[in-house]
Amino acid sequence: MPEGDTVWQAARRLHEALAGKALTRSDFRVPKYATVDLTGRRVLNTVPRGKHLLTRFEGGLTLHTHLRMEGAWKVFDAGERWRGGPAHQIRAVLGTADRTAVGYRLPVLELLRTPDEEQVVGHLGPDLLGPDWDPERALANILADPGRQLGEALLDQRNLAGIGNVYKSELCFLLGVTPWLPAGALPADRAEKLPGLAKRLLEVNRDRPVRQTTGLPRYDLFVYGRAPRPCLRCHTSVRVADQGDGSQERPTYWCPTCQTGPAPAPGSPQRWRDKYPRRTG
């Protein structure tokens, strides 16, 4: 699932391509909106909210989309061949005189009145890349359930919006604790650092084509995608396991030496062997 920085980049691409221009083409390829035509309406803006995208049109309408695991918005110049998947995967087309935005494999697509946007994003916690960011509230949300595993609390968009599996693993590594540590057991000095560190990770990556958390020229990430290769700090083999109830694959990476706290044992149902594709670098 795309993380907050990726969604922020998608919103910027859509905004730069469409904002301030009238639609010359409008095509929604989902049954519920098959007859809706927004041609002639001016696009006001596209803004991210956590992992959600809100594209607003004059007349008080908003297109709400969410990319989840497979979705993508691609922007093309006039006359350019569309590349993003086969035609049957296209869910939305928004075109102006010079640019066309094509939404592929969008699992969430709905039109709503702009004043009703809170119905779809009002449940979200403070947005790490948004104007509503509130570090004190975000930390209070995480600590409100002290027995919950920290990794699960970080992924809960009701606590703070924008963190996915990559940043969950990287943030826990930088804090020196495992994602299975109960949130209430996080040492006070590290809990104090958590909101600011999370925000910095997303902010420094929102303008980068390749996500980078290490500051090292040859290595992009500390632990995510690195199992069973050596930890960049201590050279212990990085481990991986699923975290959660099993309803979704959530590969979680950690270093058993650099990070303290509980973790699945080798050979347990949450296997730590490298069952996920390795990253290079």
Side-chain angles (χ1 to χ4, degrees):
M1 181 180 292
E3 316 220 1
D5 53 349
T6 303
V7 175
W8 191 92
Q9 292 172 8
R12 181 174 62 181
R13 288 194 300 271
L14 288 172
H15 182 81
E16 291 176 349
L18 304 177
K21 304 173 185 177
L23 291 179
T24 58
R25 180 172 182 177
S26 164
D27 184 3
F28 296 107
R29 302 182 185 181
V30 295
K32 185 175 181 179
Y33 302 111
T35 61
V36 173
D37 185 2
L38 301 184
T39 300
R41 290 186 188 244
R42 186 166 58 92
V43 181
L44 302 180
N45 56 30
T46 296
V47 298
R49 181 71 172 86
K51 300 182 183 183
H52 300 251
L53 289 163
L54 302 170
T55 300
R56 298 167 179 146
F57 308 92
E58 64 180 355
L61 285 179
T62 294
L63 175 64
H64 167 230
T65 56
H66 195 298
L67 306 180
R68 291 190 180 164
M69 293 297 294
E70 301 295 336
W73 278 101
K74 303 288 186 179
V75 175
F76 305 99
D77 292 330
E80 184 179 2
R81 184 174 65 86
W82 297 354
R83 305 173 308 280
H88 71 266
Q89 293 182 347
I90 295 173
R91 299 292 177 265
V93 180
L94 300 174
T96 67
D98 60 344
R99 308 296 296 279
T100 300
V102 183
Y104 290 88
R105 301 170 298 278
L106 299 174
V108 175
L109 185 155
E110 56 184 329
L111 281 169
L112 61 152
R113 295 175 59 251
T114 300
D116 296 334
E117 288 177 359
E118 285 300 295
Q119 293 180 7
V120 294
V121 296
H123 65 288
L124 298 174
D127 187 344
L128 283 155
L129 294 178
D132 69 322
W133 173 242
D134 182 338
E136 289 79 16
R137 182 179 154 215
L139 182 58
N141 289 345
I142 290 172
L143 299 180
D145 186 353
R148 192 177 191 187
Q149 294 175 357
L150 179 60
E152 288 294 293
L154 291 172
L155 286 181
D156 190 336
Q157 303 299 294
R158 297 169 297 181
N159 289 337
L160 71 172
I163 289 181
N165 266 336
V166 176
Y167 284 123
K168 175 191 77 172
S169 295
E170 294 294 294
L171 184 58
C172 286
F173 177 83
L174 291 168
L175 291 171
V177 298
T178 71
W180 291 270
L181 182 79
L186 185 65
D189 60 330
R190 297 182 221 185
E192 184 179 357
K193 295 177 182 177
L194 189 156
L197 181 57
K199 182 173 178 61
R200 284 197 298 276
L201 286 177
L202 267 72
E203 278 189 332
V204 300
N205 282 291
R206 67 183 182 184
D207 294 316
R208 290 176 173 169
V210 178
R211 188 175 290 128
Q212 229 268 5
T213 63
T214 66
L216 302 173
R218 292 181 54 204
Y219 303 100
D220 297 331
L221 303 173
F222 279 110
V223 289
Y224 190 88
R226 288 192 54 80
R229 286 172 290 169
C231 170
L232 296 178
R233 284 184 177 170
C234 72
H235 306 296
T236 301
S237 179
V238 172
R239 294 182 177 179
V240 60
D242 288 330
Q243 184 173 26
D245 60 9
S247 60
Q248 302 180 60
E249 279 201 350
R250 288 180 171 173
T252 301
Y253 296 82
W254 81 102
C255 171
T257 299
C258 293
Q259 294 170 255
T260 60
S268 71
Q270 290 184 313
R271 297 183 185 276
W272 60 268
R273 68 175 179 266
D274 192 11
K275 59 181 282 191
Y276 300 97
R278 300 183 188 180
R279 291 177 52 87
T280 58

